[in-house]
Amino acid sequence: MTTTKKVTQRLTRESFKQWIQGLDAFLFDCDGVLWCGASPIKGAAKTISLLRSLNKRVMFVTNNATNSRATYVKKLASQGISADVADIVTSAWATVQYMKQHKIEGKVYMVGEAGLQTELELEGYQVSGMEHSDIKGLPHVPNIDMDTKAVVCGLDRYFSYYKMAYATACVLQIPGCHFIGTNPDSTFPTDGAIIPGGGSLVRMLECAIGHPPEAICGKPSQDLLQTIIATYELDPSRTCMVGDRLSTDIEFGNTGGLQTLLVLTGITQESDLSKIDNAVHVPDHYVDSVDVINQLQLA
Amino acid sequence: MTTTKKVTQRLTRESFKQWIQGLDAFLFDCDGVLWCGASPIKGAAKTISLLRSLNKRVMFVTNNATNSRATYVKKLASQGISADVADIVTSAWATVQYMKQHKIEGKVYMVGEAGLQTELELEGYQVSGMEHSDIKGLPHVPNIDMDTKAVVCGLDRYFSYYKMAYATACVLQIPGCHFIGTNPDSTFPTDGAIIPGGGSLVRMLECAIGHPPEAICGKPSQDLLQTIIATYELDPSRTCMVGDRLSTDIEFGNTGGLQTLLVLTGITQESDLSKIDNAVHVPDHYVDSVDVINQLQLA
């Protein structure tokens, strides 16, 4: 018996034509793929236009929970990419879908930013947490609202000890209070720096609370992938996940039977490819950037 | 072959005399043992006086890094317990000892409070971080001091996303920058509530940085125990660690060959005793509170 180890392949002029003919739909991660912070990635808009001209379905699937889908429509437009709210999946949206599916209703304590609050409020949740951005330091023993039904944690650049203590107290003191993470990303690629991601905040709460969240709703959650496949009626084997992070994007696609394409414009560097120790993190193909797709089509 | 499983024993009138005659020295944890927040634990001062009258050496070994040893002298005095700075070991002090032993010098970025800063400055470190307690939210990409030699993380009730991003950037961007945790406590017992501890902040940084700290200096570090044994010339088998937390105090003592006594006035509840799944967490004895030592002696 021989073991065949999956090896990733650079997408080349030779392999491109067969690859693109085998695909009907593309799920694009955004941060580190289409842009880094305020800086667009060259060729991103051209590549999206090209794929649409080839009659490929294009969707955007991001673990960034800080923006609403409506804000993403504007952000994409500012990069020259037209999109409808229905083309966009964020981990904030995924979290709200999870909560609805699990019949969670009422008050939510949120460690997160405006986009997450918007998505929660659109589905009728009463959200608190943002107002605590003004509290720094003590009082460190919060007087919690005992009607809180769930703590939801995502990236919050206004995070403070007070919010952490409040969230911890809710889960420890309120019987049945849910604890849900939006996404597992430990870091976040932005202009010229890698900053801590929502996953690091979830890990801190997990440590203080003493157990992990019941769900982390963004990529690589296969519940999310099944929701996407059903909603958009996709054929997994003819759908490609394009992303920059092995442990979210690539694992998400590989586990779900999608094709996977890694780009090297975000978290993962080419030197990381030889160090992958988990088969589910090996992308089918990789390219330097999304611009390569456009270039290969024109070549 | 039979396996003998260690079982903890309640300290009783019958077992007390032999127990106390077998001991020359006591290491007392403080939070959850001698007091909870501002509330003293009944009988704590009497028990310390009693032990001293029996010619036992008494020291205080706390993982609380937020106070200096000088502040602890005052705190103990306010509870009716006299002590000298030399009787007190904090995880802040332990951290500074570790840094000196490993020849770390110069600038330190600190996630922590005034007591940690005091101990670092007493040994000549240039400490920054506290001034960032006034920054909330953005800017989230800090302009770091590239001369920073170490990031030290302990409990910081003025913790913010900015500090987290600063600390993460130091370790990721400065070659050779050390990453050190003061203590692993995930929570902290205070008046009427359990709040997140320094260990939860360390875990968050570990997640964002991508690797654990090179050392966590407080209990249960056996480097710390060896430093204490050498400094105070203790006989481990005739020394008792008294504490409220299995994963720090009791593991610290058991691993180092000390006697161990658990009190139930802090983190650990009596119902937790039947659930211990790690032999090193089984205390030799337990009592409801430190007051029981005094009561048993008088009985």
Side-chain angles (χ1 to χ4, degrees), chain A residues 95-106:
Chain A
T95 300
V96 176
Q97 299 310 304
Y98 172 89
M99 292 169 71
K100 285 166 61 186
Q101 285 163 13
H102 290 79
K103 314 269 186 243
I104 300 168
E105 293 177 347

Side-chain angles (χ1 to χ4, degrees), chain A residues 242-299:
Chain A
V242 185
D244 68 318
R245 192 190 287 266
L246 303 175
S247 61
T248 52
D249 303 314
I250 303 306
E251 178 171 332
F252 179 71
N254 283 345
T255 305
L258 310 187
Q259 288 286 310
T260 51
L261 178 68
L262 177 76
V263 296
L264 300 173
T265 43
I267 294 289
T268 309
Q269 305 300 307
E270 188 163 5
S271 59
D272 297 327
L273 293 179
S274 59
K275 301 174 203 153
I276 302 175
D277 55 4
N278 186 342
V280 86
H281 291 168
V282 180
D284 294 311
H285 293 94
Y286 71 99
V287 287
D288 289 336
S289 80
V290 285
D291 193 33
V292 173
I293 298 172
N294 182 48
Q295 290 169 12
L296 289 173
Q297 174 69 17
L298 298 177

Side-chain angles (χ1 to χ4, degrees), chain B residues 168-203:
Chain B
T168 300
C170 286
V171 179
L172 291 181
Q173 293 175 30
I174 303 171
C177 182
H178 296 264
F179 168 33
I180 300 161
T182 60
N183 62 298
D185 305 63
S186 57
T187 52
F188 181 76
T190 187
D191 311 81
I194 291 181
I195 62 172
S200 293
L201 302 192
V202 173
R203 193 74 69 85

Side-chain angles (χ1 to χ4, degrees), chain A residues 109 125 146 181 185 235 275:
Chain A
Y109 187 75
Y125 293 101
M146 292 298 287
D185 304 63
D235 174 349
K275 301 174 203 153

